[in-house]
Amino acid sequence: MLRVLQIVRLSSRCSSSFVSRMRFLNGLKQNDDVCSAALQDAHMFLFHRLSPLLQRNHQGTFRTAELRTSDVQSLLENLGSDRTLLQEAVLIGCTEQNQAQFCLDIGGLDQTAAEELCGGTFVDLRKSFFLLSGAEAPLVAKAQALLRWHQTSGFCSATGQPTHRNQAGSQRTCSSSGIIYYPKMSPVVIVLVSDGERCLLGRQATFPRGLYSALAGFCDMGETLEETLSREVAEEVGLEVQSFSFSSSQHWPFPQSSFMMACHASVSPAHSQLCVDHSELEDARWFSQQEVLSALQTPPHRGGRAPPSPWLPPKHAVAHRLITEWIQNTRS
């Protein structure tokens, strides 16, 4: 164990740059003993049935609960759980100071008691995105996605035999065949369509009332990004894309971990009449620049009988980035 701790400390001293931090994390994934040592003094993100634990600060805003391994060990003891549950923690990153970050789901324990002991609340992940700062939201999304993957990947799809994870939780191996499984994301194209003066936003029936977003769809097997983008726009709203440009990408934990590739697309103003496929979308419509600016200032709908004003995805979502980029481009 002393040798393991020396390796961790040496890695910490040498890991001041992005490259060395990535190598530090890769070392934790490759060496179970090193990872176990790092887990003994780590930053911990707690979840209860995939909902993250948040705490309200003095300013009334929310952030993830600041817990260390020792805090979680005490919590588990107070809730009558075996400390071995800590071994189910999953590595999700490290701080600038090379302190390992892990997440753990305690969904089998009493939620109310855990909240009281931690001084926080387990909040649905979608709602959390409207409460957290920009730096925390992607890390919480990654944590939930990895926890969900482990909960649903306990058996090999080829043999039906149990799979076993490494200490970091970065892979699972079939106990019978030795097949190694890694967490996966489904590729999705999300596109903001414009006719030069307006942008196109739509909503699915499953969206919260009043929420509109950019169009999105999964890539079919064998498709390129360009083909997926053109097909989705044609299928959902009956428009033919003239040109497009890539904006950015993002991991999105819904519905089962998606890799979002965000693009802007243009259509001809002379051929901008919508023909919405209502089996895909509940509604889609063109928004002027002023309507988009108004929607950006509208808070999420919180109930009531009156039809809500349109509102947009949270700032952490790549759809929000597309919309703000469009505003900036049309102004310039």
PDB file of all heavy atoms in Angstrom, residues 169-191:
ATOM      1  N   GLY A 169     -14.154   2.007 -12.664  1.00  0.00           N
ATOM      2  CA  GLY A 169     -15.478   1.968 -13.298  1.00  0.00           C
ATOM      3  C   GLY A 169     -15.445   2.404 -14.742  1.00  0.00           C
ATOM      4  O   GLY A 169     -16.463   2.755 -15.307  1.00  0.00           O
ATOM      5  N   SER A 170     -14.263   2.349 -15.373  1.00  0.00           N
ATOM      6  CA  SER A 170     -14.132   2.774 -16.763  1.00  0.00           C
ATOM      7  C   SER A 170     -14.389   1.646 -17.752  1.00  0.00           C
ATOM      8  O   SER A 170     -14.445   1.884 -18.959  1.00  0.00           O
ATOM      9  CB  SER A 170     -12.726   3.344 -17.009  1.00  0.00           C
ATOM     10  OG  SER A 170     -11.733   2.374 -16.725  1.00  0.00           O
ATOM     11  N   GLN A 171     -14.573   0.414 -17.258  1.00  0.00           N
ATOM     12  CA  GLN A 171     -14.859  -0.713 -18.138  1.00  0.00           C
ATOM     13  C   GLN A 171     -15.446  -1.863 -17.327  1.00  0.00           C
ATOM     14  O   GLN A 171     -15.345  -1.894 -16.098  1.00  0.00           O
ATOM     15  CB  GLN A 171     -13.586  -1.192 -18.844  1.00  0.00           C
ATOM     16  CG  GLN A 171     -12.534  -1.756 -17.895  1.00  0.00           C
ATOM     17  CD  GLN A 171     -11.255  -2.135 -18.604  1.00  0.00           C
ATOM     18  OE1 GLN A 171     -10.671  -1.337 -19.326  1.00  0.00           O
ATOM     19  NE2 GLN A 171     -10.804  -3.372 -18.395  1.00  0.00           N
ATOM     20  N   ARG A 172     -16.082  -2.794 -18.029  1.00  0.00           N
ATOM     21  CA  ARG A 172     -16.602  -4.012 -17.418  1.00  0.00           C
ATOM     22  C   ARG A 172     -16.157  -5.191 -18.274  1.00  0.00           C
ATOM     23  O   ARG A 172     -16.103  -5.086 -19.503  1.00  0.00           O
ATOM     24  CB  ARG A 172     -18.128  -3.982 -17.295  1.00  0.00           C
ATOM     25  CG  ARG A 172     -18.673  -2.855 -16.431  1.00  0.00           C
ATOM     26  CD  ARG A 172     -20.172  -2.978 -16.214  1.00  0.00           C
ATOM     27  NE  ARG A 172     -20.474  -4.083 -15.325  1.00  0.00           N
ATOM     28  CZ  ARG A 172     -20.638  -3.976 -14.003  1.00  0.00           C
ATOM     29  NH1 ARG A 172     -20.499  -2.792 -13.422  1.00  0.00           N
ATOM     30  NH2 ARG A 172     -20.912  -5.033 -13.268  1.00  0.00           N
ATOM     31  N   THR A 173     -15.858  -6.316 -17.633  1.00  0.00           N
ATOM     32  CA  THR A 173     -15.341  -7.488 -18.337  1.00  0.00           C
ATOM     33  C   THR A 173     -16.221  -8.695 -18.051  1.00  0.00           C
ATOM     34  O   THR A 173     -16.601  -8.935 -16.894  1.00  0.00           O
ATOM     35  CB  THR A 173     -13.897  -7.794 -17.899  1.00  0.00           C
ATOM     36  OG1 THR A 173     -13.080  -6.634 -18.113  1.00  0.00           O
ATOM     37  CG2 THR A 173     -13.326  -8.956 -18.696  1.00  0.00           C
ATOM     38  N   CYS A 174     -16.554  -9.440 -19.091  1.00  0.00           N
ATOM     39  CA  CYS A 174     -17.359 -10.655 -18.940  1.00  0.00           C
ATOM     40  C   CYS A 174     -16.550 -11.699 -18.181  1.00  0.00           C
ATOM     41  O   CYS A 174     -15.410 -12.000 -18.539  1.00  0.00           O
ATOM     42  CB  CYS A 174     -17.779 -11.192 -20.301  1.00  0.00           C
ATOM     43  SG  CYS A 174     -18.654 -12.777 -20.219  1.00  0.00           S
ATOM     44  N   SER A 175     -17.162 -12.273 -17.156  1.00  0.00           N
ATOM     45  CA  SER A 175     -16.465 -13.259 -16.333  1.00  0.00           C
ATOM     46  C   SER A 175     -16.230 -14.561 -17.073  1.00  0.00           C
ATOM     47  O   SER A 175     -15.379 -15.359 -16.681  1.00  0.00           O
ATOM     48  CB  SER A 175     -17.275 -13.540 -15.066  1.00  0.00           C
ATOM     49  OG  SER A 175     -18.590 -13.993 -15.404  1.00  0.00           O
ATOM     50  N   SER A 176     -16.965 -14.774 -18.172  1.00  0.00           N
ATOM     51  CA  SER A 176     -16.838 -16.025 -18.917  1.00  0.00           C
ATOM     52  C   SER A 176     -15.956 -15.896 -20.145  1.00  0.00           C
ATOM     53  O   SER A 176     -15.003 -16.661 -20.335  1.00  0.00           O
ATOM     54  CB  SER A 176     -18.226 -16.533 -19.339  1.00  0.00           C
ATOM     55  OG  SER A 176     -18.132 -17.670 -20.180  1.00  0.00           O
ATOM     56  N   SER A 177     -16.250 -14.909 -20.982  1.00  0.00           N
ATOM     57  CA  SER A 177     -15.554 -14.792 -22.270  1.00  0.00           C
ATOM     58  C   SER A 177     -14.382 -13.826 -22.255  1.00  0.00           C
ATOM     59  O   SER A 177     -13.542 -13.848 -23.147  1.00  0.00           O
ATOM     60  CB  SER A 177     -16.543 -14.337 -23.350  1.00  0.00           C
ATOM     61  OG  SER A 177     -16.992 -13.014 -23.079  1.00  0.00           O
ATOM     62  N   GLY A 178     -14.341 -12.949 -21.256  1.00  0.00           N
ATOM     63  CA  GLY A 178     -13.290 -11.936 -21.223  1.00  0.00           C
ATOM     64  C   GLY A 178     -13.577 -10.730 -22.093  1.00  0.00           C
ATOM     65  O   GLY A 178     -12.731  -9.839 -22.224  1.00  0.00           O
ATOM     66  N   ILE A 179     -14.762 -10.666 -22.699  1.00  0.00           N
ATOM     67  CA  ILE A 179     -15.132  -9.508 -23.509  1.00  0.00           C
ATOM     68  C   ILE A 179     -15.145  -8.261 -22.626  1.00  0.00           C
ATOM     69  O   ILE A 179     -15.691  -8.267 -21.529  1.00  0.00           O
ATOM     70  CB  ILE A 179     -16.518  -9.705 -24.161  1.00  0.00           C
ATOM     71  CG1 ILE A 179     -16.489 -10.882 -25.127  1.00  0.00           C
ATOM     72  CG2 ILE A 179     -16.955  -8.431 -24.892  1.00  0.00           C
ATOM     73  CD1 ILE A 179     -17.858 -11.247 -25.689  1.00  0.00           C
ATOM     74  N   ILE A 180     -14.527  -7.184 -23.113  1.00  0.00           N
ATOM     75  CA  ILE A 180     -14.469  -5.936 -22.359  1.00  0.00           C
ATOM     76  C   ILE A 180     -15.497  -4.958 -22.927  1.00  0.00           C
ATOM     77  O   ILE A 180     -15.564  -4.746 -24.142  1.00  0.00           O
ATOM     78  CB  ILE A 180     -13.061  -5.322 -22.412  1.00  0.00           C
ATOM     79  CG1 ILE A 180     -12.040  -6.291 -21.811  1.00  0.00           C
ATOM     80  CG2 ILE A 180     -13.027  -3.994 -21.662  1.00  0.00           C
ATOM     81  CD1 ILE A 180     -10.606  -5.803 -21.903  1.00  0.00           C
ATOM     82  N   TYR A 181     -16.279  -4.370 -22.045  1.00  0.00           N
ATOM     83  CA  TYR A 181     -17.287  -3.376 -22.433  1.00  0.00           C
ATOM     84  C   TYR A 181     -16.880  -2.009 -21.887  1.00  0.00           C
ATOM     85  O   TYR A 181     -16.414  -1.894 -20.755  1.00  0.00           O
ATOM     86  CB  TYR A 181     -18.663  -3.756 -21.880  1.00  0.00           C
ATOM     87  CG  TYR A 181     -19.244  -5.003 -22.496  1.00  0.00           C
ATOM     88  CD1 TYR A 181     -19.007  -6.258 -21.926  1.00  0.00           C
ATOM     89  CD2 TYR A 181     -20.026  -4.938 -23.641  1.00  0.00           C
ATOM     90  CE1 TYR A 181     -19.532  -7.401 -22.487  1.00  0.00           C
ATOM     91  CE2 TYR A 181     -20.565  -6.083 -24.215  1.00  0.00           C
ATOM     92  CZ  TYR A 181     -20.310  -7.310 -23.629  1.00  0.00           C
ATOM     93  OH  TYR A 181     -20.836  -8.455 -24.188  1.00  0.00           O
ATOM     94  N   TYR A 182     -17.088  -0.985 -22.715  1.00  0.00           N
ATOM     95  CA  TYR A 182     -16.804   0.391 -22.324  1.00  0.00           C
ATOM     96  C   TYR A 182     -18.088   1.214 -22.401  1.00  0.00           C
ATOM     97  O   TYR A 182     -18.964   0.928 -23.225  1.00  0.00           O
ATOM     98  CB  TYR A 182     -15.747   1.001 -23.252  1.00  0.00           C
ATOM     99  CG  TYR A 182     -14.420   0.292 -23.230  1.00  0.00           C
ATOM    100  CD1 TYR A 182     -14.123  -0.696 -24.170  1.00  0.00           C
ATOM    101  CD2 TYR A 182     -13.458   0.597 -22.267  1.00  0.00           C
ATOM    102  CE1 TYR A 182     -12.898  -1.362 -24.152  1.00  0.00           C
ATOM    103  CE2 TYR A 182     -12.234  -0.062 -22.241  1.00  0.00           C
ATOM    104  CZ  TYR A 182     -11.965  -1.041 -23.189  1.00  0.00           C
ATOM    105  OH  TYR A 182     -10.767  -1.697 -23.161  1.00  0.00           O
ATOM    106  N   PRO A 183     -18.194   2.245 -21.566  1.00  0.00           N
ATOM    107  CA  PRO A 183     -19.374   3.124 -21.663  1.00  0.00           C
ATOM    108  C   PRO A 183     -19.499   3.715 -23.064  1.00  0.00           C
ATOM    109  O   PRO A 183     -18.491   4.077 -23.684  1.00  0.00           O
ATOM    110  CB  PRO A 183     -19.089   4.211 -20.620  1.00  0.00           C
ATOM    111  CG  PRO A 183     -18.127   3.584 -19.670  1.00  0.00           C
ATOM    112  CD  PRO A 183     -17.285   2.660 -20.489  1.00  0.00           C
ATOM    113  N   LYS A 184     -20.727   3.802 -23.555  1.00  0.00           N
ATOM    114  CA  LYS A 184     -20.956   4.294 -24.915  1.00  0.00           C
ATOM    115  C   LYS A 184     -21.917   5.471 -24.916  1.00  0.00           C
ATOM    116  O   LYS A 184     -22.750   5.618 -24.019  1.00  0.00           O
ATOM    117  CB  LYS A 184     -21.522   3.173 -25.799  1.00  0.00           C
ATOM    118  CG  LYS A 184     -20.538   2.039 -26.072  1.00  0.00           C
ATOM    119  CD  LYS A 184     -21.169   0.988 -26.971  1.00  0.00           C
ATOM    120  CE  LYS A 184     -20.146  -0.075 -27.375  1.00  0.00           C
ATOM    121  NZ  LYS A 184     -19.596  -0.809 -26.238  1.00  0.00           N
ATOM    122  N   MET A 185     -21.778   6.296 -25.959  1.00  0.00           N
ATOM    123  CA  MET A 185     -22.713   7.391 -26.215  1.00  0.00           C
ATOM    124  C   MET A 185     -23.307   7.198 -27.609  1.00  0.00           C
ATOM    125  O   MET A 185     -22.618   6.740 -28.522  1.00  0.00           O
ATOM    126  CB  MET A 185     -22.006   8.743 -26.142  1.00  0.00           C
ATOM    127  CG  MET A 185     -21.424   9.079 -24.785  1.00  0.00           C
ATOM    128  SD  MET A 185     -20.727  10.765 -24.731  1.00  0.00           S
ATOM    129  CE  MET A 185     -19.275  10.582 -25.765  1.00  0.00           C
ATOM    130  N   SER A 186     -24.573   7.571 -27.765  1.00  0.00           N
ATOM    131  CA  SER A 186     -25.224   7.493 -29.075  1.00  0.00           C
ATOM    132  C   SER A 186     -25.049   8.816 -29.805  1.00  0.00           C
ATOM    133  O   SER A 186     -25.360   9.882 -29.243  1.00  0.00           O
ATOM    134  CB  SER A 186     -26.719   7.189 -28.910  1.00  0.00           C
ATOM    135  OG  SER A 186     -26.914   5.950 -28.260  1.00  0.00           O
ATOM    136  N   PRO A 187     -24.557   8.792 -31.050  1.00  0.00           N
ATOM    137  CA  PRO A 187     -24.351  10.054 -31.784  1.00  0.00           C
ATOM    138  C   PRO A 187     -25.672  10.702 -32.191  1.00  0.00           C
ATOM    139  O   PRO A 187     -26.552  10.045 -32.745  1.00  0.00           O
ATOM    140  CB  PRO A 187     -23.536   9.631 -33.005  1.00  0.00           C
ATOM    141  CG  PRO A 187     -23.845   8.180 -33.186  1.00  0.00           C
ATOM    142  CD  PRO A 187     -24.093   7.626 -31.826  1.00  0.00           C
ATOM    143  N   VAL A 188     -25.785  11.984 -31.926  1.00  0.00           N
ATOM    144  CA  VAL A 188     -26.992  12.760 -32.232  1.00  0.00           C
ATOM    145  C   VAL A 188     -26.576  14.068 -32.896  1.00  0.00           C
ATOM    146  O   VAL A 188     -25.637  14.727 -32.447  1.00  0.00           O
ATOM    147  CB  VAL A 188     -27.804  13.076 -30.957  1.00  0.00           C
ATOM    148  CG1 VAL A 188     -28.984  13.995 -31.269  1.00  0.00           C
ATOM    149  CG2 VAL A 188     -28.289  11.796 -30.299  1.00  0.00           C
ATOM    150  N   VAL A 189     -27.274  14.431 -33.963  1.00  0.00           N
ATOM    151  CA  VAL A 189     -27.078  15.740 -34.580  1.00  0.00           C
ATOM    152  C   VAL A 189     -28.163  16.678 -34.077  1.00  0.00           C
ATOM    153  O   VAL A 189     -29.352  16.339 -34.110  1.00  0.00           O
ATOM    154  CB  VAL A 189     -27.127  15.659 -36.118  1.00  0.00           C
ATOM    155  CG1 VAL A 189     -27.084  17.060 -36.721  1.00  0.00           C
ATOM    156  CG2 VAL A 189     -25.959  14.829 -36.643  1.00  0.00           C
ATOM    157  N   ILE A 190     -27.767  17.840 -33.587  1.00  0.00           N
ATOM    158  CA  ILE A 190     -28.723  18.872 -33.184  1.00  0.00           C
ATOM    159  C   ILE A 190     -28.446  20.096 -34.035  1.00  0.00           C
ATOM    160  O   ILE A 190     -27.297  20.523 -34.175  1.00  0.00           O
ATOM    161  CB  ILE A 190     -28.621  19.175 -31.671  1.00  0.00           C
ATOM    162  CG1 ILE A 190     -29.634  20.255 -31.274  1.00  0.00           C
ATOM    163  CG2 ILE A 190     -27.204  19.552 -31.252  1.00  0.00           C
ATOM    164  CD1 ILE A 190     -29.830  20.383 -29.771  1.00  0.00           C
ATOM    165  N   VAL A 191     -29.490  20.654 -34.639  1.00  0.00           N
ATOM    166  CA  VAL A 191     -29.288  21.684 -35.654  1.00  0.00           C
ATOM    167  C   VAL A 191     -30.260  22.839 -35.462  1.00  0.00           C
ATOM    168  O   VAL A 191     -31.460  22.632 -35.222  1.00  0.00           O
ATOM    169  CB  VAL A 191     -29.433  21.096 -37.076  1.00  0.00           C
ATOM    170  CG1 VAL A 191     -30.776  20.379 -37.254  1.00  0.00           C
ATOM    171  CG2 VAL A 191     -29.250  22.157 -38.145  1.00  0.00           C
TER     172      VAL A 191
END
